[in-house]
Amino acid sequence: MIGQNDNINLEVNDKKKIILGFYGLFYVAIIIIIVIAGYSYLGKLEGFARNNLIPASLTGDTTKPVTDLPVVKGSTTPPIDLNSAVVVSAEKTDAGKKLFETNCVSCHGSEGKGDGPAGKTMNPPPRNFTDPKGWTNGQEFSKMYKTLQEGITSRGMASYSNLLPEERINLILYIRTLRKDFPAIDKNELAEVDKAYSLSKGLKLPSQIPTRTATELMLEEKKQQETKIDNIVNAVNSDKTTKGAEIFKRVSKDIKRSVNALASYPKWNENETAFVKFVSLNPESKGFGPAMSSVTSEELNVLFLYLKGLF
Ligand code: HEC
């Protein structure tokens, strides 16, 4: 029977439910308001970023151009013995003449008189090599080498540092044939040149690659590695005939994890001992189960050869 007290209790319970329900709605409403406020804040954040009020990096805007290093292929400058390199031969002056024709005649003229077509409007005009007077750096071998290596850029003479040392030397040997009275080359000035540009040592320039390209290459490599791992896992799973596959599936509780572990340490591949060492160290973390400890040495050998063939 339901008495009056029960009725009152029911009513109280109903009220509690209504109140609780109201609070429930209240919380839902608060959460909705927070979410809406959050969205509008994020929207404004972008607006700020567009107006450069906050740095682009805070909103993840990476579309702004970033200056990065250019790609430079590593190169080596072969060591050179200046004393023998400056001994004149027809071969060297011919090589120098060819270089002169492709690189220099436009300004210095075909006879080196400083009257090339591109030099007509230049001020100062390109050097006339047949005239001994008025040289900026000087007409000695060491001074001409400096000119070709560093250029006199403020006066319109470019640097030819992109040529090999030997090519610069041959150019100078050729220029020296254009007149009889160039000063003789002395040993001291050769030693100076050698010291200034470490010619007898040779020079190794490392390759350089932009950070962005490097990141892309790394991501690409990672993708390739992942594809390789997926392919191996698929090959193992679909292999129902090979003894090696059968053993592998028996000893590994998680083929993908095992393949990943093996891929991360390629040295296991060298010989069976290395493989056993690798697998028995923390086998669980590499996906190998207790069955691993009960394989026979013959099975181990089959397994090793099978895996070696997969990777
Ligand atoms: C774009 C035009 C131009 C080209 C190309 C050019 N030169 Fe020159 N060169 C000049 C000018 C201009 C001067 C004069 C600079 C000065 O008076 O200081 C000069 C001066 C020189 C000098 C004399 C520097 C001195 O001490 O006065 C030498 C040596 C020289 N050039 C060699 C070369 C050789 C070798 C090449 C080719 C590999 C070459 N130049 C290509 C414009 C050029």
Side-chain angles (χ1 to χ4, degrees), residues 189-255:
E189 75 171 331
L190 291 185
E192 254 169 49
V193 173
D194 185 33
K195 198 166 154 224
Y197 305 110
S198 51
L199 294 181
S200 54
K201 287 204 190 87
L203 204 64
K204 209 175 200 142
L205 295 173
S207 295
Q208 166 183 302
I209 187 169
T211 331
R212 193 170 276 195
T213 314
T215 317
E216 278 161 15
L217 284 175
M218 272 160 66
L219 287 177
E220 181 58 29
E221 222 166 72
K222 187 159 175 276
K223 229 167 94 193
Q224 280 176 6
Q225 175 81 340
E226 278 166 5
T227 320
K228 187 184 167 195
I229 285 169
D230 285 345
N231 288 344
I232 293 177
V233 172
N234 287 340
V236 173
N237 283 333
S238 59
D239 188 339
K240 306 271 188 275
T241 51
T242 324
K243 184 104 205 293
E246 184 263 307
I247 301 170
F248 190 29
K249 280 181 230 173
R250 175 149 44 91
V251 297
S252 171
K253 290 192 299 190
D254 182 342
I255 299 284

Side-chain angles (χ1 to χ4, degrees), residues 96 99-108 118-119 122-129 133-140 143-145 147-148 151-160 163 167-168 171-172 174-175 182:
L99 285 166
F100 191 83
E101 276 160 4
T102 44
N103 294 291
C104 323
V105 290
S106 57
C107 290
H108 288 281
M122 290 184 86
N123 184 24
R127 179 72 48 219
N128 173 0
F129 300 128
K133 291 188 296 289
W135 290 51
T136 302
N137 279 344
Q139 53 178 329
E140 294 82 1
K143 303 289 163 56
M144 280 205 261
Y145 194 88
T147 299
L148 291 184
I152 311 176
T153 43
S154 61
R155 293 170 64 87
M157 169 60 197
S159 148
Y160 284 85
L163 298 177
E167 294 175 317
R168 280 189 288 278
L171 271 165
I172 297 170
Y174 170 67
I175 291 174
F182 272 99

